[in-house]
Amino acid sequence: MQRWEVRNQEGRKDWRESGGTGNRKDKKTNEELNTRIGAGFNCFGHFEWIIDAQTGEAVKWRRLKDRELMAYLVHKRNRFVLKGSILEDLWPGANPEQATAFLHTCVYNIRKMMNTLSCKEKLEYRDNSYRLELLEMWCDTDEFERIASGMEVDASNIDRCEVVAKLYKGNYMDKEGFIWAYESEEALKEIFITLMHQMADFYVSIRNYESA
C-alpha cells in the first residue's frame, strides 16, 4: 500500500511524454483541473484553505481549533451537522457548556475570516445545526472522487487519470491526526490504490513498462 503512495508523491511520468493517445478533450480537462486546484480547499495530506490561486497562499490560522472546525465543516460540506455531533467530534469528553462556548468562538472567527476574504460561501446555522455551503470554492477530494470513482482506465481517459492521480498528495488529512476523518481517509485511499492498479495494468497492456 505504501509503495503506491510514495510513487504518486514522487510523481508519475506524464503519459504524453510516453507516446500517449491523449486528445484535445483530455487536454482541456487537464487544464481545467490544474486551474481549479488552487482556488479552494486541499484535503489530501495537509488541510489547507487556499486563498490565492496563483501563489498558492493559504490562510494562516491563529487558533488550531478554528482550523480544525473549518476542516470539519469542509469534511461535512453542503450538509447540516447537529451541534451535538460537532461538540462530540471536536471536544470529546469536554464540559458541554465550555465546549459550546468554544464552538461559538470558533464559528465567529471563521465567519470573520470569510467576511475578510469576501467569500461567497456561507456558514449557516439552522435547527441547532451548522452547514458550510460551498458556492464557488473547490475541494480537491470532490474532483478526485468525481473522476476516479468507478473509472475504467483506457486510452481515452489515461490523461485524465494521470492528472487526477496527482491530486492525491497524501492520505486524506493524514498529517492532521483528526480521528473523525479516518473513515473517509480509508475510503479515498482505496479509490486511489484501485486507480493506480488500473493505470499500471493499462500501461503493461500497451507495453509501456516505464510508466507502469
Side-chain angles (χ1 to χ4, degrees):
M1 182 174 295
Q2 183 65 27
R3 179 171 64 90
W4 291 106
E5 295 168 8
V6 170
R7 280 178 64 85
N8 180 255
Q9 291 169 25
E10 291 175 347
R12 293 177 56 86
K13 184 177 178 63
D14 192 283
W15 167 240
R16 284 165 293 181
E17 295 178 359
S18 306
T21 59
N23 54 35
R24 293 181 180 178
K25 182 178 179 181
D26 276 343
K27 183 178 180 181
K28 181 179 179 181
T29 301
N30 296 347
E31 290 172 349
E32 290 173 349
L33 281 173
N34 287 327
T35 299
R36 294 182 67 185
I37 287 175
F41 297 100
N42 290 331
C43 297
F44 286 119
H46 288 284
F47 170 74
E48 290 183 306
W49 179 358
I50 302 297
I51 57 178
D52 189 311
Q54 294 185 345
T55 66
E57 179 185 358
V59 166
K60 294 179 174 59
W61 299 92
R62 294 183 178 180
R63 290 163 45 100
L64 291 178
K65 219 57 182 179
D66 292 349
R67 181 173 181 270
E68 183 178 359
L69 177 59
M70 190 61 169
Y72 185 87
L73 293 170
V74 171
H75 175 68
K76 301 283 189 178
R77 59 195 173 277
N78 299 325
R79 47 187 163 144
F80 282 100
V81 185
L82 285 170
K83 180 193 291 185
S85 297
I86 299 175
L87 296 177
E88 183 177 339
D89 286 339
L90 270 68
W91 289 276
N95 176 281
E97 291 185 2
Q98 289 183 334
T100 299
F102 291 148
L103 172 61
H104 290 166
T105 299
C106 292
V107 168
Y108 171 80
N109 291 336
I110 289 173
R111 282 176 171 160
K112 184 178 180 180
M113 177 70 73
M114 293 173 69
N115 185 59
T116 299
L117 297 173
S118 300
C119 294
K120 292 187 177 180
E121 276 57 38
K122 299 178 181 179
L123 177 48
E124 301 175 283
Y125 180 74
R126 184 192 306 169
D127 298 329
N128 207 36
S129 302
Y130 288 94
R131 177 179 71 174
L132 176 66
E133 184 180 8
L134 297 188
L135 300 173
E136 292 186 345
M137 300 185 78
W138 176 78
C139 184
D140 56 356
T141 57
D142 284 340
E143 200 69 26
F144 176 81
E145 289 187 274
R146 183 177 68 82
I147 297 178
S149 296
M151 174 72 75
E152 293 294 331
V153 179
D154 56 33
S156 69
N157 58 33
I158 188 63
D159 281 346
R160 298 176 67 197
C161 293
E162 287 284 3
V163 173
V164 78
K166 291 176 183 176
L167 293 176
Y168 199 102
K169 299 176 181 178
N171 294 332
Y172 180 74
M173 298 196 188
D174 179 52
K175 306 298 183 182
E176 309 301 343
F178 299 146
I179 296 176
W180 45 261
Y182 179 75
E183 186 174 333
S184 291
E185 176 186 340
E186 291 300 302
L188 289 165
K189 184 192 300 182
E190 191 63 34
I191 293 173
F192 175 68
I193 292 172
T194 298
L195 178 65
M196 291 294 97
H197 277 297
Q198 289 192 15
M199 290 171 66
D201 289 345
F202 170 76
Y203 284 126
V204 169
S205 73
I206 62 170
R207 300 183 180 182
N208 188 334
Y209 302 112
E210 184 177 356
S211 291

